[in-house]
Each structure stands twice: as structure tokens, then as C-alpha cells.
Amino acid sequence: MARLPVYQRILLELVRSGTATVSSEQLADMARVNASKVRKDLSFLGSFGTRGSGYDTEFLLSHIDKELGLDADWPVVFIGIGNLGRALARSQGFTSRGFRVSGLYDVATELVGTTVGVHVVRHLDDFEADAAVDPPAVGVIATPAAAAQDVADRLVGAGVRSLLNFAPRVLRVPSHVLLRQVDLSIELQVLSFYLSHRDHPASASVSSPLPHPVGLSPVEPG
Amino acid sequence: MARLPVYQRILLELVRSGTATVSSEQLADMARVNASKVRKDLSFLGSFGTRGSGYDTEFLLSHIDKELGLDADWPVVFIGIGNLGRALARSQGFTSRGFRVSGLYDVATELVGTTVGVHVVRHLDDFEADAAVDPPAVGVIATPAAAAQDVADRLVGAGVRSLLNFAPRVLRVPSHVLLRQVDLSIELQVLSFYLSHRDHPASASVSSPLPHPVGLSPVEPG
DNA sequence: GTTTGTGAAGTTATTCACAGCG
DNA sequence: CGCTGTGAATAACTTCACAAAC
């Protein structure tokens, strides 16, 4: 269920702001979807609502967290501590709720030894030894494209079974390894599609009612 | 059509590697989808394939580019030149194929005047004057969450009609403004979902065949 | 009265399967 | 022959609408 993370974020904000209950309609507004959809989605997890008053935010959040596996504690290593890697490793979304930074690695000698948040950047050559002591579950690759496949091979070799690849290159991994390729510029291309069908000189007369391109609605992380 | 950017990326790589034609099955493999889906998707754009041999990569790419609006030249401003903003502004995906960096802005005096790629970071206070000269079409917000709404208001006030928000806060904008909220940690949560249904101690016996979580398959930008 | 949970209806997307073109 | 393009069949998803629960 691809909308679960969205509900999770919204509920997290509601819990933090002290809201005790929320109706499907309120949740739907915040997630920018239909209220029935929210109810169908949530009924998939079980009957957690109270008719007449809505859902208990804290109770519902804990169940979504469990469903998403955010009640676990997966060690995550970050490879490639450039601008993007640093941004990811420091972001609350990547360092809380189910995940724990277990190591930051790079090959640039001027980066090795520096600190990012509370963590010290180590040389990639130390990775295998570190992994033997504290085996990482997830590897986040934010290296240049040319290095990504080698890094992926080393991660897989060290037993990492899940990869998140931000480098703009398609990776080959064994079938038992979970891989998600992430391309930040896809968002811009989607925007471009709507832009061109709305503002483009060549299509100024397009009258088809395009749906409003509303993406995920993240809420404030801690 | 949400898969168009994926095909675009794959075709871009194929064209660069000198591949002249590609069959729907090859494309499907690379995009990790079904071959009929590729054909249906592409037939939506018109009849660009040649029966018996496949699609001309260059010809097809140019048509997808046109459909996505990547043949236009939208000026993009980046607000918030921290780690993420810098990573985005430097990435090929954000600075080519339909987009042009028209300005980088921040409020940190130690950042103002520094260069990112070929561009100089300017103070946010200069934005309105700059925008009057070269009106930006798209604004990319990569500020801290607390600043995001103010920045969005200023961008909209200056006539920007499309926003891409990477700050973890839901923005309110007038209905004529296109807004996409992007949350980088959603990818990790999706991974977490699969992780927990595969590796989690509590569900080690789950036998339902989860689909392999393969995301977008970006290819090397120039 | 309010709001959930859910069958039924409606809609959209995916896959099949094959005629028709190169 | 190989491969596209596409109607028909299938499946997935979304919305409606309302009975049951609080």
C-alpha cells in the first residue's frame, strides 16, 4: 500500500501536535485523497476506528508503523558522503523511525575523519571490517554514477540485502537483494509534463482537465 | 503517464550508447514492466514503431521529450543552498533537458557569493529584483521546514507558477500554482515495508509473493 | 447525530492474443 | 518471420452509498 507512508507522516504530526482523534475525512484532506479511500486503506490493516468519533491517532500510528516495519531497527550505511549523501544522512526521515545510521563511508581523504551529525566519515576500505562487527541491513548509495555498481557489489558481498540507489545508473544485483532506484529529477519531469500542457506556447489551447499534480504531503519530522 | 520519464531515461542512455532501434520487449525489460504495457503507453503518443524491427530510439526519444515538455526551456530558481539544494542544483537531471538554472538563493551570508557549478549564490533579498528581469517558471525549495512557507509565498508573489518542495512541510499555495511535495525518506519507508515482510522476525513465515520493489530505473545523465 | 466499515457499482489500468504490416 | 498496434478480456483500483456502531 503506497499511501501508508503518507498517512504515517500525517499521523506523526498529529500525534506531536497533541491531536487525539482524526476522522477519515480530515485525514483525506491532509493526504489529498478521497475519504472512502482512506477508510478502505485503513480497514486493510484491521478495524482501528471508532464509529462516531474517528481514529485514535496514536493507536493508528503504532499500527501503521508496525505494518511499515518502522517498529524495527535496521542499521543503515551511507556510501558517498557528497552533498546528497550528507543531506540524506542528516535528514530526520532517514535517521529515525525504524532506521539507525550505522556508518558513513567515502573514498575522498579530505572527507574521511570529518563528522556529519554525530557520525564520523570512515574510509570505504574500512567497510568490510565494520560490517563484520555490525552487519548493516540497508545500504544507501549516493556516489557518482561511475562508482555505484562497484559499491553495490561490495555492499552485497558484505551481506547487505537492501539497497537504495540515488546514483543515476541502473544497478545489477542478485535477485535476493531488494533494490530501489531513486531519481530525484523524475519529480521535475513530472512537473514539466504538467507545465507543458498548461503553459507551453504550442499547447495554450489545451482544454483537457489535467488532474492537479499533488505529490506526497510530508509532515514535519522531529 | 507516469512511466514516460522512465522510458525517456532509458532511451537517452540507448541513444548515447549508439543503439539505433529497440523492441518493446527490450524496453520493457529495462523499465521492468510488461511489454504490452510499453506498447500501449507508446501507442498513446502515436504510431512510432516499425513492425518487424521495433522503435527508432532517437525518433521515439524526441517525441517523448516533446510530450514531457523537455523541448522547452524553463528557468528554474533554487531557494536554500544547503547540502540538498547544492546536490539538486548541480545534478544533471535538474539542469538539462528542458530546464535552465536561472538563480540560486540563500539567506546565509557565508553562502552568498560562493559559486555552485557556474552559478553564484545570491541573497534571497535579491530574488524579487532578479525575477523582474528574468521571470522564473519553476521554484525548487530546499530550505529548512520553518522557512518553506515564507519562501513559497515570495516565489508565488513574484509570479512563479510551479513549485517543487523538498522541505518536510506541507505548503499552502493558490490553486493556480502547481505544487509537488517531495519526501526523500518515503523511498526508505517503502523499502522498510518490503524488508519487514521479508526479514522481520515476526513475519518470517510470510509466504505471499510480494512483488519485487523495483523503482524507477534512471540512466546516466550527460 | 456522527463516522466507520464494506458490499456493490463504476472506473481505470493491465494483460492477453492476434490481425496486419514490414 | 518478428514485432507493432489494438480490440477484447481481465484485473485492480476507486468511489458510492448505506447499514451498523458509537
Side-chain angles (χ1 to χ4, degrees):
Chain A
M1 201 66 68
R3 284 182 296 271
L4 238 38
V6 180
Y7 301 144
Q8 196 270 351
R9 289 301 179 101
I10 292 168
L11 286 166
L12 193 56
E13 187 170 74
L14 290 173
V15 166
R16 280 179 178 149
S17 71
T19 311
T21 63
V22 65
S23 73
S24 59
E25 198 152 355
Q26 290 173 290
L27 252 179
D29 275 355
M30 288 181 274
R32 314 236 199 169
V33 297
N34 180 299
S36 328
K37 202 185 285 186
V38 170
R39 293 202 294 277
K40 262 271 157 63
D41 289 347
L42 297 184
S43 72
F44 171 77
L45 306 180
S47 289
F48 297 140
T50 310
R51 292 168 196 230
S53 57
Y55 299 88
D56 181 288
T57 51
E58 219 161 319
F59 185 68
L60 183 56
L61 177 60
S62 75
H63 276 275
I64 291 183
D65 277 356
K66 199 192 287 179
E67 183 64 22
L68 284 174
L70 299 183
D71 58 339
D73 183 47
W74 306 107
V76 183
V77 290
F78 293 79
I79 319 287
I81 314 300
N83 286 314
L84 181 58
R86 217 161 20 239
L88 296 174
R90 294 169 71 109
S91 77
Q92 299 284 342
F94 272 68
T95 58
S96 62
R97 292 258 153 196
F99 300 95
R100 163 173 66 84
V101 177
S102 99
L104 308 179
Y105 299 91
D106 207 300
V107 292
T109 49
E110 66 269 24
L111 275 176
V112 173
T114 63
T115 60
V116 173
V118 298
H119 299 276
V120 178
V121 178
R122 291 172 60 74
H123 195 282
L124 184 57
D125 289 345
D126 297 328
F127 167 68
E128 278 81 3
D130 293 356
V133 177
D134 180 15
V138 180
V140 176
I141 301 174
T143 63
Q149 184 63 59
D150 285 347
V151 166
D153 293 344
R154 287 181 70 169
L155 287 166
V156 171
V160 175
R161 294 181 60 199
S162 300
L163 299 178
L164 205 53
N165 177 36
F166 286 85
R169 170 152 302 178
V170 178
L171 299 184
R172 296 273 149 211
V173 295
S175 61
H176 71 272
V177 174
L178 293 185
L179 168 65
R180 276 192 83 84
Q181 304 266 8
V182 184
D183 184 345
L184 298 182
S185 69
I186 290 285
E187 290 294 331
L188 197 63
Q189 289 203 11
V190 173
L191 200 66
S192 171
F193 175 81
Y194 288 102
L195 264 173
S196 65
H197 287 77
R198 185 192 64 179
D199 291 342
H200 201 281
S203 59
S205 60
V206 165
S207 60
S208 67
L210 282 172
H212 199 69
V214 176
L216 299 167
S217 301
V219 300
E220 180 71 7
Chain B
M1 202 61 72
R3 285 182 297 272
L4 238 37
V6 180
Y7 301 143
Q8 196 270 350
R9 288 302 178 103
I10 292 169
L11 286 166
L12 194 54
E13 189 171 73
L14 289 173
V15 166
R16 280 177 179 152
S17 70
T19 311
T21 63
V22 65
S23 73
S24 60
E25 198 152 353
Q26 289 173 290
L27 250 179
D29 276 355
M30 289 180 274
R32 314 237 198 168
V33 295
N34 179 300
S36 326
K37 203 185 282 185
V38 171
R39 292 203 294 277
K40 262 271 156 60
D41 288 347
L42 297 184
S43 73
F44 171 76
L45 306 180
S47 289
F48 297 143
T50 310
R51 292 168 197 229
S53 57
Y55 298 89
D56 181 287
T57 51
E58 219 162 319
F59 185 66
L60 182 55
L61 177 59
S62 75
H63 275 274
I64 290 183
D65 278 356
K66 200 193 287 180
E67 183 64 22
L68 284 173
L70 299 183
D71 58 338
D73 184 47
W74 306 107
V76 183
V77 291
F78 292 79
I79 318 286
I81 313 298
N83 285 315
L84 181 59
R86 218 160 19 238
L88 296 174
R90 293 168 71 108
S91 77
Q92 299 286 342
F94 273 67
T95 58
S96 61
R97 291 256 153 199
F99 300 96
R100 164 174 65 86
V101 177
S102 98
L104 308 179
Y105 299 90
D106 206 299
V107 292
T109 49
E110 66 270 25
L111 275 176
V112 173
T114 63
T115 60
V116 173
V118 299
H119 299 276
V120 178
V121 179
R122 290 174 60 76
H123 195 282
L124 185 55
D125 289 345
D126 297 327
F127 167 68
E128 279 81 3
D130 292 356
V133 176
D134 180 17
V138 179
V140 175
I141 301 174
T143 63
Q149 184 63 59
D150 284 347
V151 166
D153 292 344
R154 286 181 70 168
L155 287 166
V156 171
V160 175
R161 295 182 58 199
S162 300
L163 299 178
L164 206 53
N165 177 36
F166 286 85
R169 170 153 301 178
V170 177
L171 298 183
R172 297 270 148 215
V173 295
S175 61
H176 72 272
V177 174
L178 292 185
L179 168 66
R180 275 192 83 83
Q181 304 266 10
V182 185
D183 184 346
L184 298 183
S185 69
I186 291 283
E187 290 294 331
L188 197 63
Q189 290 204 9
V190 173
L191 201 64
S192 171
F193 174 81
Y194 287 102
L195 264 175
S196 66
H197 287 78
R198 187 193 64 180
D199 291 342
H200 202 281
S203 60
S205 62
V206 164
S207 61
S208 67
L210 281 172
H212 199 69
V214 177
L216 298 167
S217 302
V219 299
E220 179 71 7

